Amino acid sequence: MTYASPQIASLGFAMEDWIGKPDLRLQHIHEDDLEKFAQAMLHSRSTAEAFSCQYRLYDGFGRLRWFHDEANVVRDKSGTPLFFSGVMLDISDKKAMEAELNEHRYYLERNVERRTEQLVKNMTLLESCNASLCDKLALTQKELAALKQQMAGPMFGAASNDCTESLCVQL
């Protein structure tokens, strides 16, 4: 590394250390991201393609922060790669928002699942009640028809038929 912005001090590192100790950054990268970083760097160096990687890094104060690191290959006039020129962007706030959104999404999905289960139970109960009421209504209609037939029978005569009809309609 030949240059680092003075802003590196906001991460708790001296500019001289960041430039003079090439492995300083590697020593501060989170252990779970170190392999991903090393692979991306190796790929860029061996292919002369742009470097791009997101990783966690412990700053000089011991806080864990997220960075998006990008660097492009600078070439001479003949196209020979000379060095990388890039930036490290602190994306800690973005990652915190993503984590918060994921947490909210998880709770929302759990609530939707729970509510859906409640709705399914309620629908099943309502369907059961509806079927039971339909059965009772059908039985009542049969009883009413039987009663109507009894009233229209020989005991009441034909004249009471009109009365039976009006009685049934009122029921």
Side-chain angles (χ1 to χ4, degrees):
M1 186 170 299
T2 58
Y3 175 79
S5 165
Q7 293 173 321
I8 200 70
S10 68
L11 297 179
F13 300 110
M15 196 166 63
E16 302 79 33
D17 290 340
W18 197 256
I19 294 170
K21 299 177 182 176
D23 62 341
L24 182 63
R25 178 166 47 170
L26 293 175
Q27 292 171 1
H28 285 84
I29 292 176
H30 190 279
E31 56 274 3
D32 292 343
D33 298 335
L34 192 55
E35 182 65 28
K36 173 177 63 170
F37 177 87
Q39 288 297 323
M41 185 60 72
L42 181 64
H43 175 78
S44 292
R45 284 185 177 163
S46 63
T47 63
E49 292 177 10
F51 170 80
S52 180
C53 188
Q54 289 186 2
Y55 55 90
R56 292 165 288 179
L57 179 127
Y58 291 98
D59 66 16
F61 308 109
R63 294 178 303 208
L64 188 60
R65 297 164 79 167
W66 275 95
F67 286 89
H68 177 80
D69 199 343
E70 280 196 18
N72 291 312
V73 178
V74 177
R75 302 171 188 271
D76 65 14
K77 290 180 183 178
S78 67
T80 304
L82 298 174
F83 57 89
F84 285 97
S85 176
V87 295
M88 290 173 53
L89 300 173
D90 187 337
I91 58 169
S92 300
D93 290 342
K94 177 185 173 200
K95 287 295 190 175
M97 285 189 296
E98 286 176 0
E100 186 178 348
L101 281 173
N102 286 332
E103 185 178 335
H104 288 298
R105 182 179 297 122
Y106 169 77
Y107 286 115
L108 181 62
E109 287 173 356
R110 282 191 54 210
N111 284 335
V112 167
E113 287 174 10
R114 200 172 22 242
R115 292 288 176 106
T116 301
E117 288 172 9
Q118 289 173 346
L119 285 173
V120 168
K121 286 178 185 178
N122 289 342
M123 280 179 44
T124 303
L125 179 63
L126 287 173
E127 287 171 350
S128 173
C129 289
N130 188 43
S132 177
L133 287 174
C134 285
D135 290 345
K136 286 181 182 180
L137 181 60
L139 182 61
T140 302
Q141 286 175 335
K142 285 181 184 177
E143 290 172 353
L144 185 58
L147 182 61
K148 193 174 170 183
Q149 190 146 11
Q150 280 179 356
M151 292 181 77
M155 184 157 77
F156 290 101
S160 64
N161 217 4
D162 293 336
C163 182
T164 307
E165 290 294 326
S166 67
L167 178 63
C168 288
V169 171
Q170 290 176 357
L171 290 176

